[in-house]
Amino acid sequence: MIQATVITYPQAKKSQRYWSLGIVVFFCTLSIVLCWLWPTDSLAAKENYVEVVIEGEKIIIIRADTIEHDEVRGLTRFLGHVSLVRDQENITANQAVWHNNTRSAELDGNIRLTSPNFTLLAERALVNLDLSIAKIYNGRAFFPKNNYYLSGEIIERLGEKEFEIEDGTATTCNGPTPAWTIHADHLSITEGGYASATGVIFKGMGSTLPFFATPYFLFPVKNERQSGILRPTITSSTHDGLKTALPIFWTTGENHDLTFTPIWRQKRGLAISLEGRYHLERSRGIWQVSHLRDHDPKYYNYINNTTNIAAKERFWLRAQNQWNVNSWDLTLNVDLASDPLLLYEFASDQDGFNQTNMIFSQTFGHTVNEALDPNRTTELYAQKLNYDTQIRGGLYYTQNLYQENNRDTIQRLPALQYDIVSRSLSETNNKSRFSLGTRYDYFYRNSSPINYTDETSHRLWLNPSLNWTVPVSNLAILKLDGDLELTTYAASGHRPVTNLAVNNARHDNLDNCLTGSMEAEISTTFNRIFDGGPGQAMATRHQLTPTITLNYIKAPHNQGNLPYWDLFDRRLPRQTARYGLQNTLVSKTETKTNESGEIIAGYDYFQFLKFGLWTSYEFANDADLTSDLYNHHYNTNYYGRGSGPLEVELEAFFNSYLSAKIISAFDSRNGNASSHDASVSLGDLNGDKLTLTYDYNDPKITFGQGVFDEYQEIRSELTLFLNSEWKTRVFTRFDINSRQATETNAQLIYQAQCYGLGLIYSKTYDDQAVGLIVDLLGLGTIGFENNEETSNDSHFFY
């Protein structure tokens, strides 16, 4: 149908009429020529079409160039530029036949189905839009959320999200020749869930080279959580033999789920691991438990007991939970294990320490004790925080895995505290502030290895303190601090100490200790501003801050007779002067633009250098108190009367890519270094980074810490992005004293659009590993690894 529109203009002058008539004749002639040259079928496709609306649960609209009805057979044929639209799905084809009785359509020629979740191309198809089912021949489908490409000789759509494919292929690679494909005799796919395949052949090198085959394979096509089987693993090693794990995931609700993982180890037996998670409006938590009846148990000894103990019934229960009830925060952390070897023996397994450490750290920001720590802590506490007060109460249970019957292990059942933190004594003047720390603890431990005598104690600890800050003639700042510590004990039982004479003595029924301290600190600041500075700096400010601190601690000399539970129970008398200075250099740069390129008025300040020197002098001569620190339990860095160590701190940022940091201490009495921590970092805009670190520690001059050897090592870490696809990382740890590398780890990674390759080498004192990792993005990881301890191990997992 051609429509003409007549437009009437105002009457023009005679001279203008000829020009107007010429223009009209020109455009009319041009229109006739264009109509003659333009294909008539294209105009028909735009202007002349038929439309049929089919009523139902969801309206179906069919458009085509022409339509033919067959009333006898109940058919309607649509020819030319056919489109079927239902809700958000649209199908186009060259022609279609609609069956009125079955409300289905036969499509043929250049079929394209588009929906919010996928796009499908085919040559021929049978579809029923009411039931969302179809049978498609020589079809290809694309799922953009997962970047999946699926194709097959026959594709059956069994519902809105379910597909069956015969003689099909799958890949996540873009382009006409994908880097890898999965070829399968049969594929079953649930969009947002999983795809299972039988008769599978993996092909690489542009999908031309077969490199792996399996009778069955399962891979995810998930958009959200859904119950099912997670990625299984298969491993072989001399430690466990053949090992298989099959995690089963169950979404028990919108905000909670369970993961059940049976792990079979050829040499060790069947282990069961269970993880439960929940995240509600005012609470969240994770519970994990693992159990193994070990067929090849390891042996360990308790402290002061040479009898070998077999670690056979092995378990680890761990959990972290947080709740909020009104204005109270409740926390429950659980960490209970069967033996001291379990956590680091299976550290890298699915049910091991490393996996738990990663999950807890990412969820709660903290984790359980280290794998090598025999002390496992379980705690339940509630706390309420206000502006300057804190109330907290809880139960704390510690399990020492190297102590038989958990002997000599301190338990706090319960522990209560109330604190006032830096409360101003005046509403108009903040120069004077008051703080108060209060603690009540009930301690318990089994202390005697002979008669299993218990040691118990009630302890009340009070610590009021005052702080006063006042300027001195606008030249300096004076800070005065004073506090009292009153500790009262009601104890009974025997002390777990090595001195037999003391060990056989019982506690006094009631005892107390009163200590106090005073500290005065005076500091001043000198500033000078220079023009210019590093880079484009307009100016640089040099700030010099000298500080002197006098500290006096008054405490009795007979504290060794008191109970000892933690650092609150000991306070060493001191008379210390500490003095030093700190330099800082800060550059000022004019701010020109923001991220959007807009001009902003303002300045940037950057501290590019900090340098400090500190030392001290001790006036008190209390060496007799530190001569037997194990029994007296003083935990301090007291060196005796005289000058203390010289401490040096340097931190420099030369630019955005180069920085250095040094923290060192020197024994001022003999000039020897006692510790160094120095590092240099170099990077660039590409993300390349090199970090060199030197660590040195000589703990011989430190009292009360036991006897330790000198520690000295160099660490280096290099990350290089060779180009957009290749990167490498090398980490080394070198022990200077033994003159050998204690740890080396090197990785060469290739990352393409749909797959990654990784070559990994690692070496420690007693272990060496070479690994090849193939990461098929969207399907999981395939790896081949060779470990060398006393013999070769091989690993395969996916």
Side-chain angles (χ1 to χ4, degrees):
M1 180 182 295
I2 300 176
Q3 297 180 347
T5 302
V6 179
I7 302 175
T8 305
Y9 293 91
Q11 187 174 4
K13 295 180 181 180
K14 185 175 181 180
S15 59
Q16 294 175 338
R17 293 177 184 176
Y18 295 109
W19 285 103
S20 300
L21 180 61
I23 293 173
V24 170
V25 172
F26 172 77
F27 279 107
C28 289
T29 305
L30 180 61
S31 300
I32 294 173
V33 173
L34 290 176
C35 291
W36 180 69
L37 295 175
W38 198 274
T40 56
D41 57 344
S42 297
L43 288 174
K46 293 184 178 181
E47 301 291 345
N48 300 320
Y49 63 86
V50 293
E51 180 178 288
V52 176
V53 178
I54 302 174
E55 300 291 340
E57 182 178 350
K58 290 186 178 180
I59 296 176
I60 300 174
I61 301 175
I62 306 177
R63 297 187 180 96
D65 291 345
T66 59
I67 183 173
E68 298 176 359
H69 293 284
D70 189 336
E71 299 293 344
V72 177
R73 301 175 61 184
L75 303 178
T76 302
R77 292 183 176 86
F78 297 87
L79 304 174
H81 301 93
V82 179
S83 70
L84 289 80
V85 179
R86 189 202 66 158
D87 200 13
Q88 297 183 359
E89 292 188 346
N90 182 23
I91 304 176
T92 60
N94 290 344
Q95 57 183 359
V97 177
W98 177 260
H99 296 257
N100 295 328
N101 296 331
T102 60
R103 294 175 61 84
S104 59
E106 298 181 42
L107 305 172
D108 192 19
N110 297 320
I111 301 169
R112 182 183 182 90
L113 187 155
T114 58
S115 74
N117 298 324
F118 68 94
T119 301
L120 187 144
L121 304 176
E123 290 298 321
R124 188 164 65 92
L126 303 175
V127 299
N128 187 310
L129 295 179
D130 287 340
L131 302 177
S132 297
I133 61 176
K135 191 168 186 178
I136 299 159
Y137 299 89
N138 295 324
R140 304 182 304 278
F142 174 64
F143 297 84
K145 287 186 178 180
N146 306 90
N147 207 69
Y148 279 113
Y149 294 89
L150 302 173
S151 62
E153 183 177 339
I154 298 176
I155 301 178
E156 291 190 68
R157 188 187 185 191
L158 307 180
E160 288 190 358
K161 296 184 177 182
E162 296 183 15
F163 298 85
E164 298 280 345
I165 302 177
E166 299 294 335
D167 191 16
T169 63
T171 186
T172 60
C173 301
N174 297 330
T177 56
W180 61 266
T181 54
I182 296 177
H183 294 253
D185 295 337
H186 181 81
L187 277 165
S188 297
I189 300 167
T190 300
E191 188 203 348
Y194 296 90
S196 61
T198 59
V200 177
I201 299 177
F202 289 83
K203 292 186 178 182
M205 303 294 291
S207 302
T208 59
L209 178 64
F211 67 90
F212 177 67
T214 179
Y216 180 79
F217 187 71
L218 184 74
F219 59 93
V221 286
K222 297 171 66 66
N223 298 329
E224 55 187 18
R225 298 185 319 143
Q226 181 172 332
S227 300
I229 299 175
L230 303 181
R231 181 167 55 92
T233 64
I234 303 174
T235 310
S236 178
S237 70
T238 56
H239 182 260
D240 297 327
L242 182 65
K243 182 181 71 174
T244 61
L246 185 65
I248 302 173
F249 181 73
W250 179 23
T251 55
T252 55
E254 182 180 356
N255 300 308
H256 42 83
D257 53 58
L258 289 172
T259 303
F260 173 76
T261 308
I263 305 173
W264 180 76
R265 298 176 175 92
Q266 181 183 14
K267 296 183 179 181
R268 318 303 289 273
L270 178 64
I272 300 298
S273 178
L274 181 65
E275 177 186 81
R277 305 183 304 169
Y278 65 92
H279 197 149
L280 307 177
E281 182 180 357
R282 302 177 69 86
S283 64
R284 60 176 181 167
I286 299 176
W287 287 80
Q288 296 178 342
V289 61
S290 306
H291 176 266
L292 168 66
R293 178 169 293 177
D294 203 337
H295 296 169
D296 184 20
K298 306 301 179 184
Y299 293 87
Y300 64 96
N301 305 111
Y302 288 128
I303 296 175
N304 300 324
N305 190 335
T306 59
T307 304
N308 288 333
I309 302 170
K312 189 171 183 179
E313 291 291 342
R314 318 189 74 175
F315 71 87
W316 185 26
L317 173 64
R318 60 275 193 200
Q320 291 193 350
N321 303 267
Q322 294 177 348
W323 304 283
N324 182 265
V325 181
N326 295 327
S327 57
W328 287 85
D329 295 319
L330 277 69
T331 299
L332 172 62
N333 298 327
V334 180
D335 187 2
L336 298 171
S338 59
D339 60 84
L341 307 179
L342 175 69
L343 300 188
Y344 65 86
E345 187 178 353
F346 299 101
S348 60
D349 287 20
Q350 293 94 330
D351 55 348
F353 176 83
N354 295 343
Q355 185 74 4
T356 295
N357 180 61
M358 180 188 67
I359 293 174
F360 282 7
S361 296
Q362 291 177 350
T363 306
F364 300 97
H366 58 87
T367 184
V368 297
N369 289 3
E370 291 295 330
L372 294 175
D373 191 345
N375 292 301
R376 320 308 301 177
T377 302
T378 297
E379 55 187 5
L380 170 63
Y381 62 87
Q383 64 180 2
K384 182 178 181 180
L385 304 177
N386 290 326
Y387 174 71
D388 58 358
T389 61
Q390 172 181 288
I391 304 174
R392 178 167 175 165
L395 306 174
Y396 302 86
Y397 176 79
T398 301
Q399 179 192 30
N400 189 328
L401 299 174
Y402 275 116
Q403 290 281 11
E404 187 177 6
N405 298 322
N406 213 21
R407 188 178 299 124
D408 291 341
T409 306
I410 298 174
Q411 314 299 345
R412 298 170 184 255
L413 306 167
L416 306 174
Q417 73 180 71
Y418 173 77
D419 296 325
I420 299 175
V421 182
S422 190
R423 177 177 293 179
S424 176
L425 295 179
S426 173
E427 295 182 357
T428 60
N429 188 351
N430 292 326
K431 294 180 180 179
S432 56
R433 310 189 75 84
F434 169 75
S435 297
L436 175 65
T438 63
R439 303 282 193 280
Y440 165 77
D441 298 277
Y442 176 76
F443 296 100
Y444 166 85
R445 63 181 158 201
N446 183 272
S447 59
S448 174
I450 300 175
N451 56 11
Y452 300 99
T453 304
D454 294 336
E455 181 188 16
T456 63
S457 176
H458 300 270
R459 185 186 72 183
L460 179 62
W461 180 83
L462 300 175
N463 178 221
S465 62
L466 290 173
N467 171 269
W468 184 51
T469 303
V470 60
V472 180
S473 301
N474 296 325
L475 297 178
I477 299 295
L478 175 64
K479 295 181 181 179
L480 297 177
D481 292 277
D483 79 330
L484 292 175
E485 284 192 13
L486 174 62
T487 311
T488 301
Y489 304 90
S492 63
H494 294 262
R495 301 187 184 94
V497 294
T498 58
N499 189 319
L500 295 180
V502 178
N503 190 47
N504 291 329
R506 296 181 59 86
H507 282 296
D508 294 332
N509 198 25
L510 184 65
D511 211 334
N512 60 74
C513 180
L514 177 63
T515 66
S517 71
M518 294 186 64
E519 183 175 279
E521 177 187 289
I522 186 167
S523 63
T524 187
T525 300
F526 302 97
N527 290 285
R528 185 172 181 181
I529 298 177
F530 302 90
D531 293 334
Q536 299 179 352
M538 302 171 55
T540 300
R541 183 184 66 188
H542 176 214
Q543 181 171 294
L544 178 65
T545 306
T547 303
I548 300 177
T549 303
L550 301 176
N551 181 259
Y552 174 79
I553 300 176
K554 178 64 176 178
H557 282 220
N558 61 344
Q559 298 176 51
N561 297 323
L562 298 172
Y564 178 76
W565 304 100
D566 54 29
L567 295 181
F568 288 97
D569 298 315
R570 293 293 183 270
R571 203 172 188 188
L572 184 68
R574 302 290 295 268
Q575 299 174 32
T576 310
R578 177 178 170 82
Y579 45 94
L581 55 85
Q582 180 169 287
N583 291 267
T584 58
L585 290 173
V586 179
S587 64
K588 177 182 178 181
T589 305
E590 184 179 3
T591 302
K592 297 182 179 180
T593 59
N594 60 12
E595 296 180 355
S596 303
E598 300 175 350
I599 298 177
I600 299 177
Y603 302 95
D604 285 333
Y605 296 90
F606 178 65
Q607 179 179 288
F608 62 90
L609 182 65
K610 182 172 70 173
F611 175 70
L613 284 173
W614 305 92
T615 189
S616 63
Y617 188 90
E618 181 63 47
F619 296 94
N621 187 12
D622 293 323
D624 57 322
L625 296 181
T626 60
S627 60
D628 188 7
L629 291 181
Y630 182 83
N631 286 334
H632 290 84
H633 304 289
Y634 289 106
N635 186 3
T636 179
N637 57 354
Y638 176 74
Y639 302 101
R641 184 174 183 176
S643 59
L646 174 65
E647 302 170 18
V648 180
E649 180 182 359
L650 172 65
E651 191 171 3
F653 297 90
F654 301 99
N655 51 45
S656 301
Y657 314 111
L658 178 61
S659 63
K661 184 177 182 180
I662 301 173
I663 301 176
S664 298
F666 300 88
D667 188 343
S668 59
R669 306 184 187 189
N670 56 28
N672 295 331
S674 56
S675 67
H676 293 299
D677 183 358
S679 63
V680 177
S681 295
L682 177 65
D684 60 15
L685 287 173
N686 193 40
D688 304 328
K689 187 175 182 180
L690 171 65
T691 302
L692 299 174
T693 303
Y694 171 70
D695 269 355
Y696 169 76
N697 188 27
D698 183 4
K700 296 176 183 177
I701 65 172
T702 303
F703 283 78
Q705 304 296 323
V707 179
F708 298 96
D709 294 330
E710 179 185 273
Y711 169 79
Q712 192 172 193
E713 77 169 16
I714 296 175
R715 299 188 300 273
S716 65
E717 183 173 359
L718 173 65
T719 300
L720 288 177
F721 290 84
L722 305 178
N723 53 38
S724 59
E725 297 175 335
W726 287 90
K727 74 173 182 178
T728 183
R729 177 184 178 272
V730 180
F731 174 81
T732 60
R733 186 191 300 268
F734 185 83
D735 187 351
I736 296 177
N737 294 334
S738 63
R739 297 185 179 181
Q740 62 176 332
T742 58
E743 182 181 356
T744 301
N745 186 290
Q747 301 176 6
L748 180 62
I749 305 297
Y750 174 78
Q751 186 63 66
Q753 177 267 323
C754 62
Y755 72 96
L757 298 174
L759 181 63
I760 300 175
Y761 171 80
S762 63
K763 182 179 181 181
T764 59
Y765 277 123
D766 56 357
D767 183 41
Q768 182 170 281
V770 177
L772 173 64
I773 303 298
V774 181
D775 189 8
L776 305 180
L777 298 187
L779 298 187
T781 302
I782 299 175
F784 304 89
E785 206 173 319
N786 182 61
N787 290 338
E788 297 180 3
E789 295 176 329
T790 56
S791 61
N792 290 337
D793 300 339
S794 63
H795 293 261
F796 168 69
F797 59 92
Y798 69 86

